[in-house]
Structure formats: structure tokens, C-alpha cells
Amino acid sequence: MVSQSSSVGYTIMGKIADLTAVQKTTIDTLHKEGKSQKVTAKEAGCSQSSVSKYINREAKGRKRCGRNKCTSNRDNRTLERIVKQIPFRNVGEIHKEWTAAGVSASATTTHRRMQDMGFSCRIPCVKPLMNKTQHQKRLAWVKDKKDWTAVEWSKVMFSDESKCCISFGNQGPRVWGMRGEVQNPHWTAKFPQSMMVWGAMSSAGVGPLCFLRSKVSRLPGSFRALHASCC
């Protein structure tokens, strides 16, 4: 049923659950000002019975029905501490340690609480660990070569090695962390069962891919550059 209203244009007959946030705010404001329910209903654009039920429910402090959470704030803080201690664990391992601490919750609840805290599972950043001296050497190398011409670069062969992880697949392990902390320097993983390959390229093309069985000495710079005697 629809009836005309001077302020809203029409009045919608519905339940309290159908009231919008704007209508509820209007009802609260006019009720505090001492307006009648009839005037409030016209201003809010709803039925007078909806206004009456809403005001009575708010006066009684009645809340929406729903099951209480099975974990307390203390339990959630324990879970957050467990995740931050060793973030390289899956949900099953984290859930096992959380329940061992005396918390009664399912693995689904564990995952949901972690998401509510802001944790998300992602692949950790892979980058070399360098000290201050290595950073300075890299910067000096780049500054020295910034004005090189194409002819000078054509006499350089670039090479680098890469370690392929076998245990965790091509993507490597995953780690739990708060959103916005993807560059956390403490997230470092060791990859057992891996293999090392080496390759090179120059202006003449790419070289063969070599499988290494020994360690490779590290050199400063973001990559290795070897001066070739000819192109």
C-alpha cells in the first residue's frame, strides 16, 4: 500500500527490517525532539506501525538475534600471537596449536578469525639479503654504467643463476601476514631439495642453460656482467 507524503513523496508500508539507515536516523532524531509517531512516519517515509515498533525495540535495548561467537577476545589474541610467531604454517597446523592452547574451535572458525584479524595467505617476496656494503657497491656499479652507449653494452655478457625449489613447487612456500606487510624482511624461507641453474645472454643472443652441482660465488651488483673481448 502506498500513500502520498509531503516530505518524502510516498510512504512505504513494511517491517522494521525494511527500514534503511537514513530512515532509522530520521526516526531517532524526531523521537528525541518529541515529535509524534504520525509526523515521524511521514518524515521518514514509512508506516506509523514501523516507527512504533522501532522505537519500542530501541527503548528495550533489544538486539538482533544470532549465535554468540565461540571464541573470546583472549582466545583471538592467542591466535594472533601463534600466527605471528611462525607465519610459514598452513591453517591446519595453526588450528592444531590453537586448540592445544585450550580453545574449542573448528578449522573453519580458525581461518575465519585469521581473516577477521586482517591476515591473508600469500607468496613471500624472494629477494637477496644484502648488507650495507653490498648496497653501496650495487649503487656505485649502476652510477658508473648509467651513461654507457649501446655499443659499450653490446660488449657485455649478462649472466645469473637461479635456484629452483623442488619441495614447495614453482611458487614456493606461502606465509601468513597482515595486509600491507608483504615486504616484511623477517619472512625468509629456506628451500630444501633444490637445484641450481646458470644462464647467460648478450647482444648476440642467449647461451645454453647449465645445471650446477657446486656453489656459485656471489658478486656485487643486481646481475653479473662479464666483459667480452668481442661480440
Side-chain angles (χ1 to χ4, degrees):
M1 182 182 297
V2 179
S3 60
Q4 295 296 325
S5 174
S6 58
S7 59
V8 179
Y10 58 88
T11 301
I12 301 175
M13 307 294 288
K15 302 178 181 179
I16 301 178
D18 298 331
L19 296 176
T20 64
V22 176
Q23 288 176 321
K24 293 179 181 180
T25 303
T26 303
I27 294 173
D28 290 333
T29 302
L30 296 179
H31 179 66
K32 292 179 180 179
E33 293 177 356
K35 301 292 184 180
S36 64
Q37 293 183 3
K38 184 177 181 179
V39 174
T40 302
K42 290 183 178 181
E43 293 294 332
C46 61
S47 65
Q48 185 175 343
S49 61
S50 297
V51 174
S52 177
K53 292 178 181 179
Y54 176 76
I55 293 176
N56 292 333
R57 189 183 68 176
E58 292 298 315
K60 295 179 181 180
R62 183 179 177 183
K63 300 181 179 179
R64 289 181 175 271
C65 299
R67 187 175 61 180
N68 295 329
K69 292 185 176 181
C70 62
T71 59
S72 62
N73 293 334
R74 182 177 180 180
D75 296 335
N76 296 336
R77 290 194 297 270
T78 302
L79 175 61
E80 183 178 5
R81 184 174 62 254
I82 292 173
V83 177
K84 289 183 176 180
Q85 283 177 350
I86 306 178
F88 291 95
R89 290 182 290 188
N90 56 39
V91 177
E93 294 171 338
I94 295 174
H95 169 254
K96 184 177 181 180
E97 183 171 347
W98 195 31
T99 53
V103 180
S104 178
S106 64
T108 304
T109 301
T110 304
H111 192 195
R112 189 183 301 114
R113 292 293 182 274
M114 293 168 64
Q115 291 179 326
D116 294 340
M117 294 175 188
F119 289 105
S120 60
C121 193
R122 58 177 65 89
I123 300 174
C125 296
V126 179
K127 54 184 179 181
L129 298 177
M130 298 183 297
N131 54 35
K132 186 177 180 180
T133 302
Q134 292 171 330
H135 278 286
Q136 292 175 348
K137 289 183 178 180
R138 281 195 172 199
L139 181 60
W141 191 93
V142 172
K143 288 182 177 181
D144 182 57
K145 307 295 188 300
K146 66 177 182 178
D147 296 325
W148 272 27
T149 63
V151 176
E152 291 176 301
W153 283 116
S154 65
K155 298 181 180 180
V156 176
M157 182 178 67
F158 301 95
S159 68
D160 199 2
E161 77 281 348
S162 178
K163 183 168 63 174
C164 301
C165 180
I166 300 176
S167 300
F168 301 106
N170 294 332
Q171 292 185 336
R174 303 185 70 89
V175 59
W176 289 95
M178 301 295 289
R179 297 184 181 95
E181 294 184 351
V182 295
Q183 300 295 337
N184 194 325
H186 299 292
W187 292 350
T188 305
K190 294 183 179 180
F191 304 152
Q193 297 182 2
S194 60
M195 59 186 302
M196 185 75 70
V197 294
W198 181 90
M201 66 178 181
S202 67
S203 59
V206 298
L209 186 64
C210 302
F211 294 86
L212 306 179
R213 296 184 179 180
S214 59
K215 295 183 179 179
V216 179
S217 301
R218 302 298 301 178
L219 297 177
S222 57
F223 46 76
R224 287 155 180 76
L226 304 177
H227 285 275
S229 57
C230 61
C231 298

